[in-house]
Amino acid sequence: MSFDINKIRSDFPILKRKINGSSFIYFDNAATSQKPNIVIDSISDYYKNYNSNIHRGVHTISQEATDAYENARAKVQKHFNVLNSHEIIFTSGTTHSINLVANGFQDLLCDKDEIIISGLEHHSNIVPWQMMSEKNGAKIKIIPINENGELDMKIYDNILNSRTKLVFVNHVSNALGIINPIKTIIEKAHKVNAAVLIDGAQACAHFKTDLQELNADFYTTSAHKLCGPTGIGMLYGKEKWLKKLPPYQGGGEMISDVTFEKTTYAELPHKFEAGTPNVSGAIAFGVALDYLNGIGFENICEYESSLLKYATEKLKLVPNLKIYGESINKTSVISFNIEGIHAYDIGALLDKFGIAVRTGQHCAQPIMDHFGISGTVRVSLSFYNTKKEIDSLYNSLKQTISMLS
Amino acid sequence: MKIKEIQDEIVEEFSHFEDWKEKYEYLIELGNSIELIDKQNKIDSNLIKGCQSKLWLYAELQNDKIIYTADSEAIITKGIAAILLRVFSNQTAKDILNSDIKYIEAIGLKEHLSPTRANGLVSMIRQIKYYALALNTN
Ligand SMILES: Cc1ncc(COP(=O)(O)O)c(C=O)c1O
């Protein structure tokens, strides 16, 4: 299929909105993506036609709902080229997935062990490990970043050792969009028998990842970042690890046998899916993957890189504009400041022009501290954005600056 | 002037603006003319929470009236602070406590009243009232 931007834009009803009388321009895609009709409709179709609890009913629609839910798991499995479908756990999203793993490692680690976290992490990636470390005493080491916002791999080599049991890195940083060298990080971690969890929340909307080839022990993402609904995501874990980890929550679905004396846990993946899951969310997640694969990730990548290049060049024409994290290895995110103007003022006025950008720390205070700034304006692009929208951003930004100076 | 009179005056001023641009240009102008907080009071303990840009607010009693001063890193936040200070500064604690903030809505800045706006307006109003409570001499 060729890349037809007009057709693609017509798939997203929200793009027709007006804000303050201007055409709505959405450049906050790293926070969450917009949803195509096909995803939105799959949710109402589920509730209109086969809403039912899954895995327990003998009746027709329960079977239909169960099939659709498991079919969605199969789509996720196929998309990420995962060996076994039971290695895909549906969670409420990346935050839930990370907490599930951190909770599991609480019992597996002790105060002699160490874990490594990158200095590019999202808050949700740091806090669960601090909570774990408070309980089991495991030490947290950090891979710092250099002036380009890239991980300092020399320091990684130095802090990685036989006490390291776990390494956590995001695939793509949400504040700067930098793609981390996770393949190398994983290979090195495996040499000392440490497990690796990769946070793919910012990666999956932009490119496809083959998890068998990557060889990460855990990988996680949130559907809402890739045209799917909120409240659903996945945790991939290698079978051997998911078997080792204790269950996170107790409840229905995750048990096979319960007496008052003892409960036997269900097999994977149900061991980690306690209670009635987000059935419509999982189905819509699968539809979102179908939609993106229908467009083709090669096409998405190519189009987004040309947008990024265009936007970067255009923004550099703005006087006194500084871009943070200008790595060549990055997704379509531009984080910037304009000298002498606070990011909040820029965001607030761009909103008046109908342009949605993110301002602030982007849940990544350590990165902001590293650059010695209190925040940035972040423009994050998606395949449904256009060069024309970037031109509008440029024009509105110039007017914004003249109003503010 | 009484609080209500100043509020009416501000509403009247804002009623002349044709579009958001004029309104925000004025807000920025107000931000630049705000009664600035003294350097010695521009300290962390006077920071208002819930704001993306740093925002300081200070109050002191002068002849039974409360004088508020403020500053912010963001000019729009400063402009919003200026609109509050113009109304509430140099008033008695009792009058401040008995006043409302309907004029914010009337000048079309209602969007800033949402607690999720991250500009600290709601927290700033709360803090103004707390000061009035604390400095109430009657
Ligand atoms: C890199 C990264 N990790 C984790 C998260 C948290 O994802 P969620 O809120 O969907 O759990 C985000 C979302 O902003 C993110 O960008």
Side-chain angles (χ1 to χ4, degrees), chain A residues 119-139:
Chain A
L120 276 170
E121 291 313 308
H122 190 274
H123 287 171
S124 73
N125 234 3
I126 301 173
V127 181
W129 305 105
Q130 287 172 334
M131 288 165 65
M132 178 204 80
S133 150
E134 271 168 28
K135 299 243 170 68
N136 63 15
K139 285 174 200 59

Side-chain angles (χ1 to χ4, degrees), chain A residues 98-124:
Chain A
I98 293 170
N99 277 283
L100 191 161
V101 179
N103 183 74
F105 271 84
Q106 191 174 302
D107 295 347
L108 301 181
L109 304 187
C110 68
D111 59 3
K112 295 190 181 58
D113 297 323
E114 296 176 1
I115 67 167
I116 293 179
I117 299 182
S118 89
L120 276 170
E121 291 313 308
H122 190 274
H123 287 171
S124 73

